[in-house]
Amino acid sequence: MAQGARVEPKILKGFRDYLPDVEAPRLHMLDAVKGVFARFGYGPLQTPAIEYSEILLGKYGDEGDKLLYRFMDNGERDVALRYDLTVPLARVVAQHQNLVMPWRRYQIAPVWRAEKPGKGRFREFMQCDADLIGEPSIRGDAEIMMVGLSVLAALEVPAYVMRVNDRRILDGVLDTVGVEGRDKRLAVLRAVDKLPKIGPDGVRAEIAQATGLADPAIDALFSLLGREVRSDAELAEIGLALVGSEVGKAGVESLRELLRILDAAGFGKSVGVDLTIARGLDYYTSTIYETFLVGHESYGSVMSGGRYDGLMDMFQAKPTGSPAVGISLGVDRLLSALLDLGLVAVATAPADAFFCLFDAGDYPHVAAVANQLRAEGVRIECALSAGKLGKQFQLATRKGYRWALLQGVDERSRGEVVVKDLVAGTQEVLSLAAIGEWKGRLTGR
Amino acid sequence: MAQGARVEPKILKGFRDYLPDVEAPRLHMLDAVKGVFARFGYGPLQTPAIEYSEILLGKYGDEGDKLLYRFMDNGERDVALRYDLTVPLARVVAQHQNLVMPWRRYQIAPVWRAEKPGKGRFREFMQCDADLIGEPSIRGDAEIMMVGLSVLAALEVPAYVMRVNDRRILDGVLDTVGVEGRDKRLAVLRAVDKLPKIGPDGVRAEIAQATGLADPAIDALFSLLGREVRSDAELAEIGLALVGSEVGKAGVESLRELLRILDAAGFGKSVGVDLTIARGLDYYTSTIYETFLVGHESYGSVMSGGRYDGLMDMFQAKPTGSPAVGISLGVDRLLSALLDLGLVAVATAPADAFFCLFDAGDYPHVAAVANQLRAEGVRIECALSAGKLGKQFQLATRKGYRWALLQGVDERSRGEVVVKDLVAGTQEVLSLAAIGEWKGRLTGR
């Protein structure tokens, strides 16, 4: 590695380094997520960061195409960095015709979008998706929602609600109110999707501008979408209000069935109907959901998804309307919420305890004892330079440690170790033979 | 997500998809590695995939510069995908002057190199590095070697040896034999590094060609490097043979000290001196090591590294010769060896058991029982479409399951579940209240 003229060390705008204080709890969180996925039989998939551009182009709209990190590689191939995990999934499904359906996979990986960076908006960010491919029944929707809700339970999030809707109910409402034409209908859905951000007046204004819909029709729209639905009976009433729309009624019946399953399986209290949930993406075909931290809705949805039958066909020679339903966890958003709410702590020290070094000659003995503790699951950082104990305690404290360990010649001969509490200023001499009894004090477990 | 003309689903040459059968054991292996790093107080770092090109250029030699995935981004910035984890580490160290030294970090992340793809050579591959920054003492070298050896122990690799050398001993040998000039000396080291690949005759020919060294000098070189060193006394003899080279003698004394520490700390039997270990990279300054699976040396080194004092200064305003020592695990090479040797198994089924569905109406009850089992750590895939039991057993078998679960109305009323062994063809009715007693049979734990 040659060393040329010195270059200013800097990082690209919209990109981040994760140092261990944040990366450690982040990995811990992702481990919990992976554990839940695995317990539901979802297997991990990994795909390349780089794809042929033609695989990605045209899948995210004109705006998305412009945001691709696209370039010619050294072999003059037109390539791009992955933009999401859904298109690579469709490619994998098309290339591996031997997958046994229904197929459950999760993928946790960074994606790249050349967006204007801003508060909480980055050009490289982690996506965390679980998808169930090939299952048409409403039980698939129920399962993937249970996966998501179980993730939040595993992360010990105290209060959350998954707000669910069915795209077909929105279609029924649009039918009933009389919004016609695909573009206008999508414009209404996109406006409704912005409700938490721009409020009802903002949504009304946007709908009026995009569709030319008259005020009474907009009133009708809002009176339908704004209904509180707290029971199966109230949901059934929505069905009656959409009596002229077959698709709308089908959406209501499907949502009723979904809620009955979630209730019976014990997830009812974490789920609520919200007819204003629209999801911006136009590929959803029925069930859609977003998830909010109760009392902290301003973080936005931390977990969203829905059913998107047909989308997986994009690379298939013979489109079959393949069923698919998925959920995506907003890892960075959720982590920042959990950190703010004190539910996850930034790592202060790199390990559980700091093993001091009296004398460089002691190091092999210290290393052997440290390895004995490590074998018991205690994380130990060893001092490698000898020095005055006071200085070593200072260093340990600066590094964020509460516990310092030492072993003098006497302790060594007796198979003991001194455990010092740097916060309380107290210390005890403990037997290594009885590690099992006191290691929990160091690990907090 | 619009759907344009159909595109052939394909992946770039030199890139791979990891499907769950391989990705699951791979993640399991990486988890074990992370666990060892954490127990030694090494914290996780994550850096962006994309860096300014000037950060990476000139650090890997002319050849390396050509292998960069380099392009202009949408803002006309000259950027490149990371080529290794060492240069990003040096950037982070230079940008964060408040890191408390010595600083221990690991990073597990893909890197990209536009190399000619070939057997076992990919353009995207995972690197897994642990480095100790800011510790000049030989105890740092010892610690990082113990980290590496503990990783192999944690992975239950049955027999391995870390072969260690000191770059200064090689320098002493070159001094003693009379090879002068940096280029010639590096050429000799690079030739020696190829010993396992091209054999002694190949190395001799390459040295003769690159340096014009006469046969007697090459003989002298080989008689020094080829010595078996099985004890401290034999190592001391090497010191005597290098009596005219201060740097050579210093290398011998340092290596003796290192081996004394590793011996005393209980790692002696996994370490051996090998004076032919040269490492191709010219940034190593003293200790260097490679690790081989005993009896399976043909996989090459699965874990290598060394001390590279000064390299971390590349972005520093004031170079201080900052001490650094590190180790890099060859994740993909090790995984393929472990799979070949049967020490790690490809995942056959996505979960521990497959829960059958008699009747769609039973699903909420099945889901509730499955969640009860999941809470106990049993991974359960639920059938979502009802069907004849025979067909469901077939599906479970096709998916690789040994265990199928069912619950009829009778079992449900008694809080029981039927556990069927699809391999043996036997079944038992077990009480859900006693999950703790039989769940181990399903999980194999």
Side-chain angles (χ1 to χ4, degrees), chain B residues 12-167:
Chain B
L12 283 155
K13 212 172 146 185
F15 291 78
R16 289 170 284 188
D17 290 320
Y18 285 93
L19 271 81
D21 58 339
V22 175
E23 182 65 3
R26 189 163 167 260
L27 288 181
H28 193 72
M29 187 183 99
L30 291 177
D31 281 346
V33 174
K34 288 179 206 170
V36 172
F37 289 166
R39 284 201 287 285
F40 278 83
Y42 286 69
L45 173 70
Q46 205 48 271
T47 64
I50 311 177
E51 299 269 0
Y52 278 108
S53 292
E54 62 173 11
I55 293 288
L56 307 183
L57 284 168
K59 308 302 191 302
Y60 310 104
D62 292 345
E63 194 51 36
D65 284 355
K66 281 184 212 136
L67 299 180
L68 286 175
Y69 276 91
R70 181 182 176 190
F71 59 98
M72 301 302 277
D73 78 2
N74 295 3
E76 293 302 307
R77 282 167 291 258
D78 185 349
V79 301
L81 300 185
R82 86 184 143 225
Y83 181 91
D84 73 357
L85 305 178
T86 306
V87 173
L89 172 62
R91 178 185 57 67
V92 167
V93 169
Q95 276 188 282
H96 298 269
Q97 297 285 338
N98 57 342
L99 298 172
V100 184
M101 295 292 160
W103 191 55
R104 292 163 173 87
R105 88 85 181 80
Y106 74 86
Q107 183 167 5
I108 300 176
V111 300
W112 296 271
R113 299 180 184 181
E115 305 215 49
K116 210 176 159 60
K119 191 178 171 302
R121 205 165 55 236
F122 292 91
R123 289 178 168 163
E124 175 182 69
F125 60 95
M126 194 68 105
Q127 283 202 339
C128 178
D129 289 10
D131 293 87
L132 170 57
I133 310 300
E135 175 59 47
S137 82
I138 191 71
R139 293 176 292 283
D141 309 49
E143 176 177 290
I144 206 109
M145 288 171 72
M146 289 193 282
V147 169
L149 293 166
S150 301
V151 162
L152 296 182
L155 295 174
E156 297 177 6
V157 177
Y160 48 86
V161 61
M162 191 177 276
R163 294 190 196 152
V164 59
N165 194 7
D166 191 299
R167 195 60 173 262

Side-chain angles (χ1 to χ4, degrees), chain B residues 172-190:
Chain B
V173 170
L174 295 175
D175 287 347
T176 304
V177 175
V179 182
E180 281 167 11
R182 193 183 127 91
D183 287 352
K184 282 194 182 176
R185 293 170 72 100
L186 275 177
V188 172
L189 295 186
R190 289 211 188 94

Side-chain angles (χ1 to χ4, degrees), chain A residues 29 157-158 293 296 298-300 302 330-344:
Chain A
M29 186 182 100
V157 177
L293 306 181
H296 306 278
S298 61
Y299 285 104
V302 295
V331 179
D332 294 312
R333 189 178 283 187
L334 185 60
L335 179 66
S336 94
L338 296 181
L339 285 167
D340 290 354
L341 301 176
L343 294 168
V344 157

Side-chain angles (χ1 to χ4, degrees), chain B residues 77 84 99 161 188 195 197 233 266 318 382 431 435:
Chain B
R77 282 167 291 258
D84 73 357
L99 298 172
V161 61
V188 172
L195 188 59
K197 264 193 215 154
K318 291 181 201 147
C382 280
S431 163
I435 291 177

Side-chain angles (χ1 to χ4, degrees), chain A residues 186-197:
Chain A
L186 276 177
V188 172
L189 294 186
R190 289 211 189 94
V192 170
D193 191 45
K194 292 184 195 157
L195 188 60
K197 265 193 215 152

Side-chain angles (χ1 to χ4, degrees), chain B residues 195-212:
Chain B
L195 188 59
K197 264 193 215 154
I198 63 178
D201 291 345
V203 174
R204 293 180 74 105
E206 191 168 319
I207 291 174
Q209 209 218 328
T211 63

